[in-house]
Amino acid sequence: MKKFTSLFLTALLLIAPCGYVSAQSNKEAATNLKSINWDQRHTIDFHESLLKNLSDQYPKIAKTYPIGHTWRERKINAIELTSNTKNEKDKTGIAVIGNIHGNEQESAESASYTAWWLATNYDSDKKVKNILDNYVIYIVPVMNPDGYAQSFIYPIRENLRPTDRNGNNIVFSDPYKDTDGDGIIADIYVGAKNSAIKDRKKIGMESPDWDKNGVFGDDPKQSNIDLNRTFDYLWNYLDVDANPVLGGNAYTRAGSNPAAEPEVKAVQNFLMTKKIHALATLHTGIQCVLTPWCNTSEKPKDAEFMEKVSLDMKNALEKTTGRKFYAKQSYDDYPTSAEMIDWTYGRLGIHSYTIEVYAGGKSNPNGTIDEQCTWENELPADQWVYKGEWNGVKDVWFKNTSKAQMVGVAPSEQSKMVEGAKDSILTMIYSEPYGPGSEVPGYLLWGNGW
Ligand SMILES: [Zn+2]
């Protein structure tokens, strides 16, 4: 039944006339900020108008502004939340960055929810008043709006740097398209009608083969770049050898140069102009809180402090959501370089945490720690649909993967998830100030006679 419901919703969301879903959500956010349904999947337009509506309706404590633009000229919006009770320089700076990975949409929901919760509770909740009187909270709910928007068609992690995957000198020349109108982009296979799954051969992704090269969907709208491997700190470190020690990201996932992507440049430049004590970057895929370093098992200078805080943040997530989370140094989870938290801690000395808010599916209590920590929800099973002749090819099968079916569908109890993320962020906020806060090197500062 659950499966049917989510499939039905997927179809409904995607078949509905363009803008229907976002128009409804935006209107709700615009007219009544109290009636937002946090169990729903929200479009990029929703997140943008939510911040605008919050700053329109709470002008004394909220300001919204773009900190940069994407390849598609979408705005990367930040909301700044603080009261005017004391001088900003006497306050503690906190940053929350959501959705560096486009398909990790629950991270954007968590960040937007936190902004919404702080703004709408300032007048009624002493705790919130106390926070905004003493802290400046900068929240960027969607750092990768191009990837976020694209993920309503097919889930992609990347941004939309113009890319030519199939080498025909035209960027994005064969994007995915829902050719049969079921709301799902299928993996395309061939195999006889009575064939076993293992005997079917994958020939591409659902697309009319726009570029007529005989391969379906071989130049989709995604860049190959993982923004969270492109920060200007140990960029490609240990990745450039023939046998890379880390992820082998040189010149591929890590881009052409450190901080070459507009989204990363925007966030780096923004953080360099602010005095910030702590930062959380939000993700999905596992359920945990991770601390620097990502590139080495060595302990950073503030390891003891950050480990304690990350444990408290993990406990807050567990208490509020009723699900299991873990806390670790990021390297011990898996090694990477040029991640945001290594840049923010390594360059600026900001206490930095990666919060992974959601891993879909049922847990395996006897498995590895990440297999034990999941959202405990039911995901739709992969579906195989025999299509016969399709686009001039005989014996075509559509495989609708679980993740393709989940496009546009929020996980069950997402409202609990965003509440948990908010409580974890509050825990981080209360842990500061500890130490001097970020130290921006003089050569990185703008103005000041440089
Ligand atoms: Zn991620």
Side-chain angles (χ1 to χ4, degrees):
M1 191 58 204
K2 243 180 191 165
K3 255 175 232 167
F4 172 75
T5 311
S6 59
L7 271 177
F8 176 72
L9 277 176
T10 311
L12 193 71
L13 289 171
L14 295 176
I15 292 166
C18 251
Y20 170 75
V21 174
S22 61
Q24 189 187 38
S25 306
N26 292 335
K27 194 169 164 242
E28 278 194 1
T31 52
N32 188 358
L33 285 167
K34 292 280 179 193
S35 77
I36 297 170
N37 177 6
W38 293 101
D39 280 315
Q40 190 181 319
R41 177 70 91 228
H42 290 114
T43 62
I44 190 65
D45 294 342
F46 165 86
H47 293 287
E48 178 153 9
S49 66
L50 173 66
L51 296 198
K52 190 182 169 299
N53 295 331
L54 288 173
S55 45
D56 284 353
Q57 295 190 32
Y58 301 92
K60 286 196 179 124
I61 50 162
K63 253 192 299 193
T64 296
Y65 43 83
I67 61 167
H69 292 79
T70 67
W71 285 102
R72 286 295 169 93
E73 292 293 336
R74 285 195 176 92
K75 282 181 199 163
I76 303 164
N77 288 307
I79 187 165
E80 184 178 320
L81 294 150
T82 194
S83 71
N84 53 13
T85 50
K86 62 178 177 183
N87 199 315
E88 202 159 308
K89 74 172 179 20
D90 301 321
K91 294 186 172 184
T92 302
I94 301 287
V96 177
I97 315 282
N99 198 253
I100 186 171
H101 293 136
N103 59 335
E104 296 176 0
Q105 301 186 334
E106 297 78 13
S107 73
E109 297 288 341
S110 300
S112 277
Y113 176 82
T114 303
W116 169 85
W117 185 86
L118 287 167
T120 56
N121 284 304
Y122 178 76
D123 290 328
S124 56
D125 188 332
K126 271 202 182 119
K127 201 168 60 202
V128 178
K129 185 172 185 315
N130 189 43
I131 291 172
L132 296 193
D133 289 351
N134 291 290
Y135 296 84
V136 188
I137 321 277
Y138 307 96
I139 301 181
V140 179
V142 188
M143 174 179 165
N144 177 9
D146 286 353
Y148 186 94
Q150 191 61 26
S151 287
F152 279 74
I153 297 166
Y154 193 79
I156 63 158
R157 188 178 175 84
E158 300 100 313
N159 67 348
L160 287 185
R161 169 184 278 268
T163 303
D164 173 23
R165 281 196 175 197
N166 62 2
N168 68 353
N169 293 320
I170 304 169
V171 299
F172 301 144
S173 62
D174 196 4
Y176 304 158
K177 181 175 163 53
D178 177 19
T179 59
D180 62 353
D182 67 350
I184 302 165
I185 300 293
D187 293 30
I188 308 295
Y189 284 71
V190 285
K193 195 172 182 186
N194 59 0
S195 60
I197 287 177
K198 65 171 176 44
D199 297 327
R200 296 171 200 157
K201 192 174 145 253
K202 187 169 175 184
I203 60 161
M205 295 292 293
E206 190 172 352
S207 127
D209 189 20
W210 300 98
D211 54 5
K212 304 288 168 223
N213 71 348
V215 189
F216 294 103
D218 63 339
D219 199 3
K221 288 183 178 165
Q222 61 190 96
S223 71
N224 287 329
I225 294 170
D226 185 333
L227 296 178
N228 209 22
R229 304 290 181 273
T230 76
F231 280 79
D232 185 13
Y233 184 77
L234 299 180
W235 180 76
N236 270 338
Y237 176 68
L238 300 178
D239 264 348
V240 292
D241 299 325
N243 293 313
V245 180
L246 290 171
N249 284 315
Y251 300 104
T252 56
R253 305 293 285 169
S256 59
N257 283 293
E261 299 312 306
E263 297 87 355
V264 170
K265 231 177 250 173
V267 165
Q268 285 193 181
N269 289 343
F270 180 64
L271 294 174
M272 280 191 288
T273 64
K274 306 292 176 193
K275 178 84 174 168
I276 293 180
H277 274 75
L279 169 141
T281 173
L282 309 182
H283 290 256
T284 70
I286 39 181
Q287 291 184 180
C288 57
V289 181
L290 303 173
T291 46
W293 302 113
C294 306
N295 72 87
T296 172
S297 60
E298 278 170 36
K299 298 273 177 195
K301 188 162 62 75
D302 295 323
E304 210 180 310
F305 170 75
M306 286 190 283
E307 278 168 17
K308 186 196 171 299
V309 174
S310 67
L311 207 59
D312 293 343
M313 291 167 72
K314 168 212 110 108
N315 289 336
L317 281 156
E318 290 192 331
K319 190 166 168 236
T320 303
T321 65
R323 272 80 171 181
K324 275 188 75 177
F325 289 74
Y326 62 92
K328 256 189 196 176
Q329 180 168 333
S330 192
Y331 180 91
D332 298 330
D333 206 46
Y334 57 96
T336 58
S337 68
E339 276 208 35
M340 184 190 297
I341 63 169
D342 273 11
W343 184 85
T344 50
Y345 186 70
R347 286 270 191 253
L348 305 180
I350 298 171
H351 297 135
S352 302
Y353 309 88
T354 296
I355 308 179
E356 299 263 0
V357 298
Y358 167 65
K362 296 279 181 196
S363 66
N364 171 7
N366 304 315
T368 55
I369 184 75
D370 54 313
E371 289 166 352
Q372 291 172 34
C373 298
T374 71
W375 196 247
E376 302 289 7
N377 57 340
E378 200 80 58
L379 294 174
D382 293 346
Q383 285 175 330
W384 287 89
V385 184
Y386 181 72
K387 290 279 182 183
E389 184 163 336
W390 174 83
N391 263 313
V393 183
K394 285 205 174 76
D395 278 334
V396 166
W397 285 88
F398 275 29
K399 180 188 182 185
N400 297 326
T401 61
S402 181
K403 74 170 182 176
Q405 292 177 57
M406 285 300 285
V407 162
V409 182
S412 56
E413 297 196 297
Q414 183 181 267
S415 52
K416 247 186 206 179
M417 188 188 303
V418 298
E419 186 80 16
K422 179 265 289 174
D423 288 343
S424 182
I425 290 165
L426 291 185
T427 304
M428 176 183 81
I429 292 173
Y430 292 135
S431 75
E432 301 287 351
Y434 176 88
S438 60
E439 304 282 341
V440 181
Y443 65 90
L444 290 176
L445 283 174
W446 299 352
N448 297 337
W450 286 78

